[in-house]
Amino acid sequence: MNTHVPRQVLRPILRRPLAASAALATLACLVVGLQAAPAHADPADCNPNITRYRGTPVTAVLSPIITEWDSFSVAPGTTIDETHTLNEVNSVSTSVNNNLEFSSEDKTTLGSVGTKFGISVATNVGSTKTTTQTRTVHLNQPGVYGLYRGTERVEGEWIMEICGRTGINTGKWVWVNGSSGTYVTYTSPDQGTVSCAQAEPAGTLRATARARLHC
C-alpha cells in the first residue's frame, strides 16, 4: 500500500469554470501567493506575433513516491557485502488531461510547471518505469534496512490563455473561458538507503521509504 504523504505547493483553486474577470483575479492572487517563483517584470505581457496560446499551470501538489524497493536485515556481529535487486512497487507517468500521449503544446505546459513552481520535472512522454535496478551494499551495523529508488509525483491543474493583441507587437494574456485541464509529471529520480535506526524528516522521500520498513 502506498504510504506517501502529499506535499502541497499551492492549493488547487480551479474546481469549476469561472468568468474571465474572476479567472484573471485568481491569477493575480496566485502570483502573490507563489513565494518560490522568481519575480517577472510583467507576466501578463506577450507578443501575439510570436506566441498566441499557452497552457499555464495554476496548481502543483507534490507527493513522494517509492518506485523500486528492497529490504533486508543485518544480524548482530555480521558484515554484509551484497548485491540486491530492487523490485518495482509504483510508477508515475506523464500525462495531460489523463492522456499518456500529448502534443508539443502539452510539453510546453509541463515545462511551465518547472518554471512557475521552481522544480525540475519531466516534460516529455514517459514514466519512471526502468529495467531491473540493482544496488551493492556494504554494512556492518545490525538492523533492518531498505534500498529505494523514487521520485515526487507532481499533479495539478492548468488553464489555457490566449495572447490578446493590444498593439502591433504587444498583447496581454487572457484566460480562454472554459478551457482548463489537469496534468501529472514527476521530478528527477533519487535513490538511497534507509534504516530503522535513523529517523528521517517527515514528508520527504526518505521518510516515505523508511515507512515501508514498518519500524
Side-chain angles (χ1 to χ4, degrees):
M1 179 179 292
N2 193 355
T3 58
H4 68 268
V5 178
R7 176 160 62 87
Q8 186 162 317
V9 174
L10 190 63
R11 291 185 61 192
I13 60 168
L14 294 181
R15 295 305 187 194
R16 58 184 62 87
L18 303 175
S21 59
L24 290 176
T26 299
L27 288 176
C29 291
L30 287 173
V31 173
V32 173
L34 187 61
Q35 299 177 355
H40 296 282
D42 186 350
D45 288 340
C46 56
N47 186 336
N49 300 320
I50 299 176
T51 305
R52 287 282 293 163
Y53 299 92
R54 72 177 183 183
T56 300
V58 292
T59 62
V61 179
L62 277 65
S63 306
I65 300 288
I66 301 303
T67 55
E68 289 93 10
W69 171 259
D70 186 40
S71 60
F72 59 94
S73 60
V74 178
T78 63
T79 296
I80 68 168
D81 190 354
E82 301 175 342
T83 298
H84 288 256
T85 298
L86 279 66
N87 298 310
E88 181 182 319
V89 292
N90 289 298
S91 66
V92 183
S93 299
T94 54
S95 67
V96 176
N97 298 337
N98 296 320
N99 294 321
L100 299 180
E101 299 290 335
F102 43 83
S103 65
S104 59
E105 289 80 7
D106 294 331
K107 294 179 182 179
T108 301
T109 299
L110 292 184
S112 298
V113 174
T115 301
K116 185 165 187 176
F117 296 103
I119 52 179
S120 178
V121 298
T123 59
N124 294 315
V125 174
S127 79
T128 58
K129 287 182 177 293
T130 63
T131 56
T132 301
Q133 295 285 316
T134 58
R135 296 276 303 284
T136 300
V137 294
H138 177 82
L139 297 167
N140 56 14
Q141 295 296 321
V144 179
Y145 293 86
L147 299 177
Y148 73 89
R149 184 175 184 269
T151 184
E152 288 197 275
R153 185 178 189 270
V154 185
E155 60 182 321
E157 297 174 326
W158 61 271
I159 59 175
M160 179 65 74
E161 293 179 301
I162 185 173
C163 184
R165 187 179 296 275
T166 58
I168 297 177
N169 296 311
T170 60
K172 293 288 184 180
W173 288 113
V174 180
W175 178 46
V176 179
N177 189 19
S179 180
S180 62
T182 60
Y183 70 87
V184 174
T185 183
Y186 52 89
T187 61
S188 299
D190 190 18
Q191 62 183 16
T193 304
V194 292
S195 72
C196 281
Q198 177 65 50
E200 303 294 347
T204 63
L205 185 61
R206 291 186 62 83
T208 304
R210 185 177 182 273
R212 297 184 68 88
L213 293 174
H214 304 291
C215 300

